[in-house]
mmCIF file of all heavy atoms in Angstrom:
data_model
loop_
_atom_site.group_PDB
_atom_site.id
_atom_site.type_symbol
_atom_site.label_atom_id
_atom_site.label_comp_id
_atom_site.label_asym_id
_atom_site.label_seq_id
_atom_site.Cartn_x
_atom_site.Cartn_y
_atom_site.Cartn_z
ATOM 1 N N LYS A 313 -37.181 -25.192 12.182
ATOM 2 C CA LYS A 313 -38.019 -24.078 12.648
ATOM 3 C C LYS A 313 -38.438 -24.279 14.125
ATOM 4 O O LYS A 313 -38.372 -23.336 14.887
ATOM 5 C CB LYS A 313 -39.241 -24.087 11.684
ATOM 6 C CG LYS A 313 -40.397 -23.107 12.183
ATOM 7 C CD LYS A 313 -41.564 -23.315 11.281
ATOM 8 C CE LYS A 313 -42.688 -22.430 11.708
ATOM 9 N NZ LYS A 313 -43.995 -22.759 11.012
ATOM 10 N N GLU A 314 -38.799 -25.576 14.457
ATOM 11 C CA GLU A 314 -39.216 -25.810 15.833
ATOM 12 C C GLU A 314 -38.131 -25.605 16.811
ATOM 13 O O GLU A 314 -38.270 -24.995 17.897
ATOM 14 C CB GLU A 314 -39.809 -27.197 15.916
ATOM 15 C CG GLU A 314 -41.111 -27.488 15.115
ATOM 16 C CD GLU A 314 -40.900 -27.531 13.585
ATOM 17 O OE1 GLU A 314 -39.776 -27.813 13.164
ATOM 18 O OE2 GLU A 314 -41.909 -27.190 12.917
ATOM 19 N N GLN A 315 -36.907 -26.075 16.415
ATOM 20 C CA GLN A 315 -35.777 -25.859 17.345
ATOM 21 C C GLN A 315 -35.481 -24.376 17.468
ATOM 22 O O GLN A 315 -35.148 -23.923 18.622
ATOM 23 C CB GLN A 315 -34.509 -26.551 16.802
ATOM 24 C CG GLN A 315 -34.576 -28.044 17.018
ATOM 25 C CD GLN A 315 -33.515 -28.814 16.198
ATOM 26 O OE1 GLN A 315 -33.085 -28.346 15.150
ATOM 27 N NE2 GLN A 315 -33.081 -30.012 16.705
ATOM 28 N N TYR A 316 -35.590 -23.628 16.393
ATOM 29 C CA TYR A 316 -35.268 -22.180 16.523
ATOM 30 C C TYR A 316 -36.316 -21.490 17.485
ATOM 31 O O TYR A 316 -35.928 -20.760 18.391
ATOM 32 C CB TYR A 316 -35.363 -21.501 15.152
ATOM 33 C CG TYR A 316 -34.989 -20.048 15.208
ATOM 34 C CD1 TYR A 316 -33.667 -19.636 15.146
ATOM 35 C CD2 TYR A 316 -35.971 -19.112 15.394
ATOM 36 C CE1 TYR A 316 -33.352 -18.301 15.270
ATOM 37 C CE2 TYR A 316 -35.671 -17.704 15.498
ATOM 38 C CZ TYR A 316 -34.314 -17.300 15.437
ATOM 39 O OH TYR A 316 -34.038 -15.996 15.520
ATOM 40 N N LEU A 317 -37.609 -21.814 17.275
ATOM 41 C CA LEU A 317 -38.620 -21.246 18.136
ATOM 42 C C LEU A 317 -38.450 -21.685 19.571
ATOM 43 O O LEU A 317 -38.675 -20.855 20.522
ATOM 44 C CB LEU A 317 -40.017 -21.560 17.613
ATOM 45 C CG LEU A 317 -40.407 -20.794 16.320
ATOM 46 C CD1 LEU A 317 -41.738 -21.341 15.760
ATOM 47 C CD2 LEU A 317 -40.472 -19.273 16.564
ATOM 48 N N GLY A 318 -38.012 -22.934 19.781
ATOM 49 C CA GLY A 318 -37.776 -23.370 21.114
ATOM 50 C C GLY A 318 -36.629 -22.611 21.824
ATOM 51 O O GLY A 318 -36.705 -22.227 22.961
ATOM 52 N N LEU A 319 -35.579 -22.321 21.042
ATOM 53 C CA LEU A 319 -34.404 -21.519 21.486
ATOM 54 C C LEU A 319 -34.949 -20.113 21.911
ATOM 55 O O LEU A 319 -34.556 -19.552 22.986
ATOM 56 C CB LEU A 319 -33.420 -21.449 20.367
ATOM 57 C CG LEU A 319 -32.098 -20.795 20.706
ATOM 58 C CD1 LEU A 319 -31.447 -21.377 21.911
ATOM 59 C CD2 LEU A 319 -31.184 -20.826 19.512
ATOM 60 N N VAL A 320 -35.742 -19.477 20.972
ATOM 61 C CA VAL A 320 -36.279 -18.182 21.390
ATOM 62 C C VAL A 320 -37.022 -18.220 22.664
ATOM 63 O O VAL A 320 -36.865 -17.319 23.550
ATOM 64 C CB VAL A 320 -37.126 -17.682 20.232
ATOM 65 C CG1 VAL A 320 -38.015 -16.433 20.651
ATOM 66 C CG2 VAL A 320 -36.353 -17.367 18.962
ATOM 67 N N ASP A 321 -37.842 -19.278 22.878
ATOM 68 C CA ASP A 321 -38.598 -19.410 24.099
ATOM 69 C C ASP A 321 -37.647 -19.548 25.318
ATOM 70 O O ASP A 321 -37.869 -18.899 26.374
ATOM 71 C CB ASP A 321 -39.410 -20.717 24.068
ATOM 72 C CG ASP A 321 -40.763 -20.532 23.547
ATOM 73 O OD1 ASP A 321 -41.082 -19.349 23.434
ATOM 74 O OD2 ASP A 321 -41.488 -21.493 23.244
ATOM 75 N N ARG A 322 -36.585 -20.321 25.205
ATOM 76 C CA ARG A 322 -35.571 -20.495 26.344
ATOM 77 C C ARG A 322 -34.965 -19.117 26.689
ATOM 78 O O ARG A 322 -34.806 -18.818 27.769
ATOM 79 C CB ARG A 322 -34.584 -21.549 26.002
ATOM 80 C CG ARG A 322 -35.158 -23.003 25.857
ATOM 81 C CD ARG A 322 -34.149 -24.029 26.221
ATOM 82 N NE ARG A 322 -32.878 -23.979 25.520
ATOM 83 C CZ ARG A 322 -32.610 -24.432 24.339
ATOM 84 N NH1 ARG A 322 -33.666 -25.035 23.612
ATOM 85 N NH2 ARG A 322 -31.486 -24.359 23.799
ATOM 86 N N ILE A 323 -34.622 -18.442 25.588
ATOM 87 C CA ILE A 323 -33.925 -17.152 25.828
ATOM 88 C C ILE A 323 -34.909 -16.178 26.555
ATOM 89 O O ILE A 323 -34.583 -15.478 27.533
ATOM 90 C CB ILE A 323 -33.457 -16.513 24.440
ATOM 91 C CG1 ILE A 323 -32.361 -17.391 23.854
ATOM 92 C CG2 ILE A 323 -32.985 -15.073 24.659
ATOM 93 C CD1 ILE A 323 -31.944 -16.966 22.465
ATOM 94 N N ARG A 324 -36.205 -16.084 26.066
ATOM 95 C CA ARG A 324 -37.131 -15.213 26.679
ATOM 96 C C ARG A 324 -37.549 -15.590 28.078
ATOM 97 O O ARG A 324 -37.870 -14.753 28.920
ATOM 98 C CB ARG A 324 -38.348 -15.142 25.693
ATOM 99 C CG ARG A 324 -38.107 -14.357 24.443
ATOM 100 C CD ARG A 324 -39.035 -13.155 24.292
ATOM 101 N NE ARG A 324 -38.505 -12.190 23.264
ATOM 102 C CZ ARG A 324 -38.879 -12.319 22.017
ATOM 103 N NH1 ARG A 324 -39.661 -13.275 21.595
ATOM 104 N NH2 ARG A 324 -38.375 -11.445 21.148
ATOM 105 N N THR A 325 -37.546 -16.916 28.360
ATOM 106 C CA THR A 325 -37.886 -17.316 29.660
ATOM 107 C C THR A 325 -36.828 -16.808 30.665
ATOM 108 O O THR A 325 -37.040 -16.343 31.726
ATOM 109 C CB THR A 325 -37.980 -18.901 29.718
ATOM 110 O OG1 THR A 325 -38.927 -19.237 28.753
ATOM 111 C CG2 THR A 325 -38.433 -19.386 31.104
ATOM 112 N N ALA A 326 -35.513 -16.972 30.198
ATOM 113 C CA ALA A 326 -34.428 -16.525 31.109
ATOM 114 C C ALA A 326 -34.336 -15.003 31.177
ATOM 115 O O ALA A 326 -33.898 -14.436 32.174
ATOM 116 C CB ALA A 326 -33.156 -17.100 30.586
ATOM 117 N N MET A 327 -34.625 -14.314 30.062
ATOM 118 C CA MET A 327 -34.503 -12.847 29.970
ATOM 119 C C MET A 327 -35.765 -12.296 29.355
ATOM 120 O O MET A 327 -35.729 -11.946 28.132
ATOM 121 C CB MET A 327 -33.237 -12.506 29.181
ATOM 122 C CG MET A 327 -31.974 -12.925 29.868
ATOM 123 S SD MET A 327 -30.567 -12.908 28.672
ATOM 124 C CE MET A 327 -30.712 -14.464 27.881
ATOM 125 N N PRO A 328 -36.807 -12.053 30.115
ATOM 126 C CA PRO A 328 -38.071 -11.611 29.515
ATOM 127 C C PRO A 328 -38.041 -10.323 28.681
ATOM 128 O O PRO A 328 -38.785 -10.161 27.761
ATOM 129 C CB PRO A 328 -39.034 -11.424 30.700
ATOM 130 C CG PRO A 328 -38.326 -12.275 31.859
ATOM 131 C CD PRO A 328 -36.918 -12.208 31.582
ATOM 132 N N ASP A 329 -37.114 -9.406 29.001
ATOM 133 C CA ASP A 329 -37.052 -8.154 28.316
ATOM 134 C C ASP A 329 -36.031 -8.094 27.231
ATOM 135 O O ASP A 329 -35.871 -7.100 26.576
ATOM 136 C CB ASP A 329 -36.662 -6.982 29.312
ATOM 137 C CG ASP A 329 -37.786 -6.802 30.342
ATOM 138 O OD1 ASP A 329 -38.931 -7.043 29.945
ATOM 139 O OD2 ASP A 329 -37.454 -6.438 31.465
ATOM 140 N N ILE A 330 -35.507 -9.245 26.857
ATOM 141 C CA ILE A 330 -34.433 -9.200 25.895
ATOM 142 C C ILE A 330 -35.024 -8.824 24.471
ATOM 143 O O ILE A 330 -36.119 -9.156 24.133
ATOM 144 C CB ILE A 330 -33.654 -10.539 25.734
ATOM 145 C CG1 ILE A 330 -32.320 -10.334 25.052
ATOM 146 C CG2 ILE A 330 -34.553 -11.659 25.165
ATOM 147 C CD1 ILE A 330 -31.386 -11.493 25.195
ATOM 148 N N ALA A 331 -34.239 -8.084 23.686
ATOM 149 C CA ALA A 331 -34.607 -7.757 22.327
ATOM 150 C C ALA A 331 -33.925 -8.819 21.394
ATOM 151 O O ALA A 331 -32.727 -9.135 21.571
ATOM 152 C CB ALA A 331 -34.184 -6.432 21.900
ATOM 153 N N ILE A 332 -34.664 -9.444 20.525
ATOM 154 C CA ILE A 332 -34.056 -10.353 19.577
ATOM 155 C C ILE A 332 -34.222 -9.851 18.140
ATOM 156 O O ILE A 332 -35.314 -9.412 17.764
ATOM 157 C CB ILE A 332 -34.861 -11.761 19.662
ATOM 158 C CG1 ILE A 332 -34.767 -12.235 21.110
ATOM 159 C CG2 ILE A 332 -34.112 -12.774 18.740
ATOM 160 C CD1 ILE A 332 -35.350 -13.608 21.360
ATOM 161 N N THR A 333 -33.112 -9.704 17.504
ATOM 162 C CA THR A 333 -33.102 -9.315 16.067
ATOM 163 C C THR A 333 -32.587 -10.496 15.248
ATOM 164 O O THR A 333 -32.047 -11.441 15.737
ATOM 165 C CB THR A 333 -32.257 -8.047 15.850
ATOM 166 O OG1 THR A 333 -30.975 -8.327 16.288
ATOM 167 C CG2 THR A 333 -32.866 -6.923 16.563
ATOM 168 N N THR A 334 -32.800 -10.392 13.893
ATOM 169 C CA THR A 334 -32.499 -11.532 13.083
ATOM 170 C C THR A 334 -32.129 -11.138 11.731
ATOM 171 O O THR A 334 -32.227 -9.975 11.279
ATOM 172 C CB THR A 334 -33.766 -12.475 13.085
ATOM 173 O OG1 THR A 334 -33.324 -13.789 12.656
ATOM 174 C CG2 THR A 334 -34.839 -11.992 12.217
ATOM 175 N N ASP A 335 -31.653 -12.118 10.929
ATOM 176 C CA ASP A 335 -31.440 -11.925 9.488
ATOM 177 C C ASP A 335 -32.378 -12.956 8.736
ATOM 178 O O ASP A 335 -32.485 -14.067 9.184
ATOM 179 C CB ASP A 335 -29.993 -12.335 9.092
ATOM 180 C CG ASP A 335 -28.994 -11.319 9.568
ATOM 181 O OD1 ASP A 335 -29.387 -10.176 10.023
ATOM 182 O OD2 ASP A 335 -27.827 -11.666 9.533
ATOM 183 N N ILE A 336 -32.960 -12.543 7.594
ATOM 184 C CA ILE A 336 -33.786 -13.386 6.850
ATOM 185 C C ILE A 336 -33.508 -13.278 5.379
ATOM 186 O O ILE A 336 -33.263 -12.147 4.898
ATOM 187 C CB ILE A 336 -35.326 -13.026 7.099
ATOM 188 C CG1 ILE A 336 -35.630 -12.905 8.566
ATOM 189 C CG2 ILE A 336 -36.220 -14.047 6.397
ATOM 190 C CD1 ILE A 336 -37.008 -12.319 8.870
ATOM 191 N N ILE A 337 -33.477 -14.402 4.686
ATOM 192 C CA ILE A 337 -33.330 -14.417 3.226
ATOM 193 C C ILE A 337 -34.526 -14.894 2.539
ATOM 194 O O ILE A 337 -35.151 -15.927 2.983
ATOM 195 C CB ILE A 337 -32.085 -15.362 2.862
ATOM 196 C CG1 ILE A 337 -30.796 -14.852 3.570
ATOM 197 C CG2 ILE A 337 -31.935 -15.422 1.351
ATOM 198 C CD1 ILE A 337 -29.604 -15.852 3.283
ATOM 199 N N VAL A 338 -34.984 -14.210 1.520
ATOM 200 C CA VAL A 338 -36.023 -14.798 0.717
ATOM 201 C C VAL A 338 -35.524 -14.977 -0.736
ATOM 202 O O VAL A 338 -34.571 -14.276 -1.175
ATOM 203 C CB VAL A 338 -37.352 -13.931 0.625
ATOM 204 C CG1 VAL A 338 -38.049 -13.859 1.848
ATOM 205 C CG2 VAL A 338 -36.966 -12.491 0.198
ATOM 206 N N GLY A 339 -36.117 -15.931 -1.408
ATOM 207 C CA GLY A 339 -35.696 -16.206 -2.790
ATOM 208 C C GLY A 339 -34.649 -17.197 -2.925
ATOM 209 O O GLY A 339 -33.971 -17.257 -3.978
ATOM 210 N N PHE A 340 -34.300 -17.997 -1.864
ATOM 211 C CA PHE A 340 -33.328 -19.076 -1.895
ATOM 212 C C PHE A 340 -33.825 -20.008 -3.041
ATOM 213 O O PHE A 340 -35.064 -20.261 -3.177
ATOM 214 C CB PHE A 340 -33.258 -19.747 -0.560
ATOM 215 C CG PHE A 340 -32.175 -20.826 -0.494
ATOM 216 C CD1 PHE A 340 -30.872 -20.482 -0.284
ATOM 217 C CD2 PHE A 340 -32.502 -22.141 -0.624
ATOM 218 C CE1 PHE A 340 -29.882 -21.407 -0.177
ATOM 219 C CE2 PHE A 340 -31.499 -23.149 -0.600
ATOM 220 C CZ PHE A 340 -30.161 -22.727 -0.350
ATOM 221 N N PRO A 341 -32.964 -20.693 -3.782
ATOM 222 C CA PRO A 341 -33.345 -21.571 -4.815
ATOM 223 C C PRO A 341 -34.443 -22.537 -4.389
ATOM 224 O O PRO A 341 -34.292 -23.243 -3.363
ATOM 225 C CB PRO A 341 -32.102 -22.274 -5.238
ATOM 226 C CG PRO A 341 -31.001 -21.342 -4.883
ATOM 227 C CD PRO A 341 -31.472 -20.637 -3.669
ATOM 228 N N GLY A 342 -35.482 -22.612 -5.180
ATOM 229 C CA GLY A 342 -36.576 -23.571 -4.883
ATOM 230 C C GLY A 342 -37.594 -23.107 -3.844
ATOM 231 O O GLY A 342 -38.576 -23.822 -3.546
ATOM 232 N N GLU A 343 -37.396 -21.893 -3.293
ATOM 233 C CA GLU A 343 -38.257 -21.408 -2.274
ATOM 234 C C GLU A 343 -39.613 -21.058 -2.826
ATOM 235 O O GLU A 343 -39.677 -20.241 -3.792
ATOM 236 C CB GLU A 343 -37.711 -20.252 -1.447
ATOM 237 C CG GLU A 343 -38.504 -19.877 -0.228
ATOM 238 C CD GLU A 343 -37.910 -18.692 0.491
ATOM 239 O OE1 GLU A 343 -37.704 -17.608 -0.092
ATOM 240 O OE2 GLU A 343 -37.607 -18.795 1.716
ATOM 241 N N THR A 344 -40.710 -21.569 -2.321
ATOM 242 C CA THR A 344 -42.125 -21.311 -2.752
ATOM 243 C C THR A 344 -42.734 -20.311 -1.887
ATOM 244 O O THR A 344 -42.246 -20.046 -0.771
ATOM 245 C CB THR A 344 -42.921 -22.625 -2.797
ATOM 246 O OG1 THR A 344 -43.016 -23.053 -1.398
ATOM 247 C CG2 THR A 344 -42.328 -23.701 -3.607
ATOM 248 N N ALA A 345 -43.956 -19.839 -2.284
ATOM 249 C CA ALA A 345 -44.694 -18.909 -1.461
ATOM 250 C C ALA A 345 -45.042 -19.583 -0.146
ATOM 251 O O ALA A 345 -45.079 -18.959 0.895
ATOM 252 C CB ALA A 345 -45.912 -18.401 -2.201
ATOM 253 N N ALA A 346 -45.333 -20.922 -0.227
ATOM 254 C CA ALA A 346 -45.673 -21.617 0.976
ATOM 255 C C ALA A 346 -44.476 -21.706 1.963
ATOM 256 O O ALA A 346 -44.638 -21.565 3.181
ATOM 257 C CB ALA A 346 -46.120 -23.036 0.688
#
Side-chain angles (χ1 to χ4, degrees):
K313 172 185 173 188
E314 294 71 26
Q315 282 166 335
Y316 183 86
L317 288 172
L319 183 57
V320 166
D321 269 351
R322 294 212 303 282
I323 294 172
R324 288 240 164 88
T325 305
M327 293 165 279
D329 292 330
I330 196 167
I332 305 182
T333 55
T334 199
D335 291 344
I336 309 170
I337 300 175
V338 289
F340 186 80
E343 190 179 54
T344 62

